[in-house]
Amino acid sequence: MNILLLYPEFPDTFWSFKHALTFISRKASLPPLGLLTVSAMLPGTWNRRLVDLNVTSLDAEDLAWADVAFISAMGVQQKSARELISRCSQAGIVTVAGGPLFTSEPECFPEVDHFVLNEAETTLPLFLDDLATGNPGKYYRSDDFPSMKTSPIPDWGVLDMKKYASMAIQFSRGCPFQCDFCNVTALFGHKIRTKSSQQIIEELNGLKENGWQDSVFFVDDNFIANKTYLKKVLLPELIEWQAHNRTTTKFYTECSINIADDAELMDLMVKAGFNQVFIGIETPDNSALEACGKQHNTSRDLLENVKTIQRAGLEVQAGFIVGFDTDTPSIFRQQIEFIQQSGIVTAMVGLLQALPGTRLYERMKREGRLRCSSTGDNVDSTTNIVPVMNLETLQNGYRDMMHYLYSPKNYYHRIQTLLKEYRQPQFKSRFRPGQLVAFARSTVILGIIGEERLQYWKMLLWTLFRKHESLSLAVTLSIYGYHFRKVCALHLKKEASLSP
């Protein structure tokens, strides 16, 4: 049997990094880890072909070759997913859909032949058994949260690694917290389930054997949820793996702000090769944090926590939200001041959206405040709820906030603020020719052609004389800024075209 593994295209969003990736001649930030895991669970006699629309196109030859198409997607990919499903249907190919988009709203995709929902370790074997007997059902669901000890090593063999900026692996699923706007617990539950350290080492070895030497993203929604296992087992083994293999692999992940409370944990992470964490800060306003169930961010000095993490050697990227019921027009200035003072260069600020399966969604539904379906992109300046704040005030304040944060002067100021606090890890790095190419392109596009050229050169010279060990990071963040401004401009242009 010939199996097409289809991954829809991401729109041009903050986290696509499309404009930044051109500097290093890569097509996408990350591979479709879910599909690679599914591929590893399919019968060994089946032929597989991955078509990731973020790095290549789906051709007529691919459709003619295939018997079945497995499609996985997140909410933000829904437009491209619909187009893929339609093409497969027209070509007479059986479609099997799974992943967050389809698990949340399968009824919105009537053209799909079979849904393998929730976690594939539980539901995919049931579908494969029925398929083998010629009697597959429409829906395969499960309320169980399977042990990750059963999860296979992703099928790296179907992947063209040269097209990606980073690889991805997963250590844990689940989150202990109760944030009402987040669908992580709806998808993966509250109980923390982890792979063994041996599984992680085997996955890293698999990447290394396939020639990968660059960065690896631990896609966990909260990597530090099981601190004891991390400190006693996984991180020491990662440190040993790095030393034994003499690698220069950098890791990055997502975690909660309470990482700042554990100096030992941060030290071990840095020694293991971690140099970046994404944290959901959401807002500096305590009343909003309490109302949305994010109490673990309250009763602490968030600004000092961020600086503590930076001083430990971990660059902080962060998510922020405006549009909570308790927000007033003063929130925009509060958010700006916090982000600028913290030196969080990559600040993903979005309007509050209600995702299916969340407590926020159910509350908005009860209160009659759902306006439409979520786009899945919380930084596209739209919201699917009726906010307490006047909608026009909210959207105008958001646009002004984004313009301020990503204008060259303020963006480059944040880079300097970060570098003043950030302790560059003493971790061996490997020179990559792509770095030289990226720097050369940045000097032309940002330093000569770009509107930010004055700020670009001032920042580079300051870094060269004050924090020369962080020069590579400074250039990388400058390139990110180019991407963010492009996306901001695109959204503003789109809004202008939709205005009456």
Side-chain angles (χ1 to χ4, degrees):
M1 188 175 291
N2 295 332
I3 306 299
L4 265 184
L5 302 162
L6 298 180
Y7 199 52
E9 185 177 10
F10 282 93
D12 199 356
T13 69
F14 268 60
W15 293 109
S16 71
F17 286 104
K18 284 186 177 180
H19 304 287
L21 290 168
T22 60
F23 285 75
I24 57 173
S25 302
R26 301 294 173 100
K27 295 288 188 178
S29 296
L30 294 163
L33 182 61
L35 278 176
L36 299 180
T37 304
V38 165
S39 180
M41 298 173 67
L42 299 178
T45 56
W46 289 6
N47 302 309
R48 303 157 173 79
R49 183 181 296 181
L50 173 67
V51 178
D52 178 356
L53 264 67
N54 298 283
V55 303
T56 189
S57 59
L58 176 63
D59 300 326
E61 190 273 330
D62 295 317
L63 294 170
W65 172 85
D67 298 310
V68 178
F70 282 76
I71 304 173
S72 178
M74 293 186 282
V76 72
Q77 296 167 282
Q78 57 188 279
K79 181 177 183 292
S80 178
R82 292 182 189 280
E83 293 169 355
L84 279 179
I85 293 165
S86 178
R87 288 190 65 185
C88 288
S89 179
Q90 291 170 16
I93 299 171
V94 174
T95 52
V96 183
L101 171 63
F102 302 105
T103 295
S104 297
E105 298 181 292
E107 67 280 358
C108 296
F109 301 90
E111 282 188 278
V112 171
D113 296 303
H114 310 284
F115 291 95
V116 178
L117 307 175
N118 305 105
E119 297 183 51
E121 288 86 354
T122 296
T123 53
L124 183 58
L126 302 176
F127 169 73
L128 294 177
D129 287 345
D130 288 349
L131 186 65
T133 61
N135 189 34
K138 178 78 171 180
Y139 296 98
Y140 292 82
R141 293 186 173 99
S142 176
D143 294 329
D144 295 335
F145 296 113
S147 167
M148 292 195 68
K149 304 294 192 296
T150 65
S151 192
I153 296 175
D155 184 6
W156 307 118
V158 299
L159 196 65
D160 184 354
M161 291 185 173
K162 297 188 297 295
K163 294 182 178 179
Y164 297 90
S166 182
M167 287 294 108
I169 62 177
Q170 186 175 41
F171 167 60
S172 68
R173 292 180 193 154
C175 180
F177 300 123
Q178 304 277 351
C179 310
D180 73 351
F181 55 83
C182 180
N183 66 349
V184 168
T185 53
L187 293 170
F188 300 119
H190 289 288
K191 182 180 179 181
I192 306 303
R193 295 162 289 135
T194 67
K195 291 178 181 175
S196 67
S197 59
Q198 182 181 356
Q199 285 176 281
I200 296 299
I201 296 301
E202 288 175 355
E203 292 189 25
L204 291 173
N205 284 336
L207 286 171
K208 185 172 179 289
E209 288 164 8
N210 279 274
W212 187 257
Q213 301 182 66
D214 292 327
S215 62
V216 175
F217 178 39
F218 280 75
V219 302
D220 306 39
D221 294 293
N222 190 357
F223 179 72
I224 67 167
N226 191 335
K227 292 183 180 180
T228 301
Y229 190 84
L230 281 180
K231 291 195 288 186
K232 291 186 176 180
V233 184
L234 180 60
L235 292 174
E237 292 198 21
L238 287 178
I239 293 170
E240 183 180 345
W241 182 82
Q242 295 271 29
H244 176 74
N245 291 281
R246 298 182 180 181
T247 72
T248 55
T249 301
K250 301 292 195 304
F251 301 130
Y252 59 110
T253 191
E254 303 178 39
C255 66
S256 45
I257 190 68
N258 59 326
I259 189 177
D261 305 333
D262 198 326
E264 179 190 8
L265 175 60
M266 290 189 290
D267 182 57
L268 286 170
M269 286 180 64
V270 171
K271 287 178 179 176
F274 286 86
N275 64 351
Q276 185 183 92
V277 291
F278 178 87
I279 297 174
I281 291 177
E282 320 312 352
T283 176
D285 183 72
N286 268 343
S287 58
L289 291 170
E290 290 172 355
C292 75
K294 196 141 189 164
Q295 280 86 359
H296 55 282
N297 276 26
T298 63
S299 303
R300 58 171 61 243
D301 187 337
L302 289 171
L303 186 60
E304 184 56 33
N305 285 170
V306 170
K307 293 186 179 296
T308 296
I309 300 167
Q310 292 167 341
R311 291 170 193 144
L314 295 165
E315 181 210 343
V316 176
Q317 299 182 338
F320 298 88
I321 296 174
V322 292
F324 289 113
D325 283 359
T326 56
D327 281 349
T328 66
S330 65
I331 191 61
F332 305 111
R333 175 48 54 184
Q334 291 178 48
Q335 291 273 27
I336 285 171
E337 289 176 355
F338 181 90
I339 293 167
Q340 288 298 118
Q341 292 170 19
S342 67
I344 297 175
V345 183
T346 303
M348 186 189 78
V349 187
L351 294 183
L352 183 66
Q353 293 197 17
L355 303 177
T358 63
R359 289 188 293 121
L360 176 65
Y361 184 91
E362 294 305 318
R363 180 166 67 87
M364 293 296 100
K365 192 175 179 180
R366 288 196 307 271
E367 295 177 6
R369 293 171 59 189
L370 281 177
R371 301 172 62 236
C372 55
S373 296
S374 168
T375 63
D377 178 9
N378 72 332
V379 293
D380 67 354
S381 72
T382 66
T383 179
N384 67 330
I385 68 174
V386 177
V388 170
M389 190 188 305
N390 175 271
L391 179 60
E392 184 177 1
T393 301
L394 176 61
Q395 290 181 320
N396 287 340
Y398 175 76
R399 284 192 292 268
D400 291 344
M401 181 179 169
M402 294 302 283
H403 183 267
Y404 183 97
L405 290 173
Y406 286 100
S407 65
K409 179 181 177 182
N410 298 316
Y411 183 82
Y412 281 94
H413 179 75
R414 284 207 306 285
I415 295 178
Q416 263 185 247
T417 301
L418 166 66
L419 295 183
K420 287 176 183 176
E421 298 287 347
Y422 182 63
R423 178 175 67 83
Q424 183 72 33
Q426 299 302 306
F427 192 74
K428 184 171 60 177
S429 295
R430 178 177 66 89
F431 174 75
R432 299 168 175 82
Q435 291 176 309
L436 189 58
V437 173
F439 177 65
R441 287 175 176 169
S442 74
T443 58
V444 175
I445 296 173
L446 307 180
I448 297 175
I449 301 173
E451 61 173 318
E452 68 266 48
R453 53 188 175 272
L454 177 61
Q455 287 85 7
Y456 173 80
W457 288 114
K458 283 176 64 177
M459 186 275 303
L460 279 193
L461 289 172
W462 180 91
T463 306
L464 186 62
F465 287 106
R466 301 283 187 89
K467 299 282 288 189
H468 62 89
E469 69 277 9
S470 297
L471 189 60
S472 177
L473 175 60
V475 173
T476 298
L477 293 173
S478 299
I479 293 170
Y480 286 178
Y482 173 81
H483 167 78
F484 297 143
R485 283 188 290 280
K486 284 278 190 181
V487 174
C488 279
L490 181 69
H491 285 161
L492 288 174
K493 184 177 179 181
K494 180 180 177 181
E495 288 173 26
S497 68
L498 295 175
S499 299

